[in-house]
Every structure is written in C-alpha cells, then in structure tokens.
Amino acid sequence: MKIILFLVAVFVLLWLLRGSTSRRARPSEPRRPESPQPMLACAECGVHLPRDEALPGRGGVFCGEAHRAAFEKAHPDAS
C-alpha cells in the first residue's frame, strides 16, 4: 500500500511540474508596437520629453509646473 501511495504522489508531482514548465514555455502575446511620439524640449531647461507629458505654456512647452512658472516669471512679455 505504501508503494502505491508513493507512486501516486510521484506521478502527481511530475504532472504538476510538467504543467508549470509548459506554461512558462508558451510564447507570450506579441506586443503591439506603440506609435512613436515626437520629443519636445523644455523651454526652461532643454530636457526632452514626450509630447503627451509636456506642459504647454506661454513661450513653449515645459517639463514641469515649476519650470513653466519660472519661465513665465522671467519672460513676462513672452507670447
């Protein structure tokens, strides 16, 4: 009886190991390539960032609110 129980346990263990390795071996879904975004330079510091992350302001685009405020304070006549 012990031998049968041992063989069943070994069989179940091998079956579980086989299942986990076959899941890892499956190729994942091919990623959809994202369309490239134009990179814009911050008018204050010159750092390049994607168009979607740029903050518009008077005088150009900016990498953050602090740079937009600093530029607008330094250039009050910029349009």
Side-chain angles (χ1 to χ4, degrees):
M1 184 67 170
K2 289 181 185 179
I3 293 175
I4 293 173
L5 200 54
F6 177 75
L7 290 174
V8 168
V10 168
F11 175 74
V12 168
L13 182 64
L14 289 174
W15 181 71
L16 289 174
L17 287 174
R18 182 189 57 87
S20 66
T21 57
S22 68
R23 276 180 285 210
R24 273 187 266 143
R26 282 187 209 148
S28 61
E29 275 186 27
R31 289 187 178 178
R32 226 189 234 172
E34 294 182 18
S35 60
Q37 291 184 16
M39 299 294 283
L40 305 175
C42 174
E44 179 71 14
C45 66
V47 169
H48 286 82
L49 62 156
R51 180 182 58 202
D52 288 353
E53 295 177 21
L55 297 174
R58 290 183 313 180
V61 294
F62 301 91
C63 61
E65 182 62 40
H67 281 184
R68 179 169 54 183
F71 183 87
E72 290 176 356
K73 184 177 179 184
H75 304 90
D77 58 344
S79 304

